[in-house]
Structures are given as C-alpha cells and as structure tokens.
Amino acid sequence: MLDRPVDRNVSYNAVSTFTAKYQIGQVVRHRHFPFRGIIFDVDPQFANTDEWYEAIPEEVRPRKDQPFYHLFAENERTHYIAYVSEQNLVPDDSAQPLSHPDIQEWFNLTARGTYELKKGVAN
C-alpha cells in the first residue's frame, strides 16, 4: 500500500534517453587536454560523486546531462583511468597503439587495428 499518491510529474525507474556517441573499444582523445585512451565503460549521464564534479573549475565544468565515459587513459608520462564527458572527447584516428597496461586484460587488438572487448569481460 502506498503511503502517498503517485506523483504524475515524476518518472519512477525511468530509463535514460541519452544515446552515447562513442562505443566501448573506441580510441578517443580529450578535446582540451593532452591525453587519449580507450573506452571501457559508458554512463548514459553523469554518475560520479558531487565532490568530483565540484572539483572541476566552473568555467570548464561539463554538463551532467550527457554520456560520460570511463577510459584507460594515457599521456606522455603515465597511465590512469579517466572519467570524461562526451562534449570533451573526439575520435582519435592517429593509428598509434595504446600502451595502458589494463588494455590487454580487457581487449583484443584486431587485424584491422581496432579493439574488441574480450569474451567474458563484464564492464
């Protein structure tokens, strides 16, 4: 039994209507910062902590209402995991191989030079 009436203006258990532009296994680079990486997971909209979001300077803070991507990222100095908004990514067509150490655990490099998620890997 409900303790209050259903609010017709609220979407209960709604499914996100956002569509991701990029896909798992795609190599991308950041639009403004010098790093690139491979997508290993996608959130249809922002799903990180408020503390993480508020730490981004307001003048460059992305909107929350868009897909966000988890990347095995790298730059000239290091490898790491990045969480990046769709508006800040562009495809990387450089054909340079990635060297992040976690890639080989999750992906196979195909003969075409693309990355394919290994069978049995859940993200």
Side-chain angles (χ1 to χ4, degrees), residues 45-119:
Q45 59 190 16
F46 181 79
N48 207 331
T49 66
D50 288 333
E51 292 80 18
W52 183 92
Y53 188 75
E54 296 297 327
I56 301 170
E58 192 171 344
E59 63 274 8
V60 295
R61 192 176 298 152
R63 299 179 334 272
K64 287 184 174 182
D65 65 342
Q66 63 180 313
F68 275 73
Y69 299 83
H70 300 261
L71 309 177
F72 291 130
E74 57 190 60
N75 59 29
E76 291 181 354
R77 295 177 304 183
T78 191
H79 302 103
Y80 52 98
I81 292 180
Y83 190 63
V84 186
S85 65
E86 187 169 272
Q87 76 185 57
N88 285 322
L89 291 176
V90 294
D92 183 310
D93 299 323
S94 69
Q96 284 185 294
L98 292 163
S99 61
H100 194 290
D102 293 332
I103 292 173
Q104 63 187 4
E105 186 177 324
W106 284 59
F107 295 95
N108 290 317
L109 184 59
T110 69
R112 298 181 317 272
T114 59
Y115 292 91
E116 183 179 82
L117 194 62
K118 288 184 176 182
K119 288 182 182 3

Side-chain angles (χ1 to χ4, degrees), residues 2 17 39 83:
L2 294 173
T17 59
I39 297 168
Y83 190 63

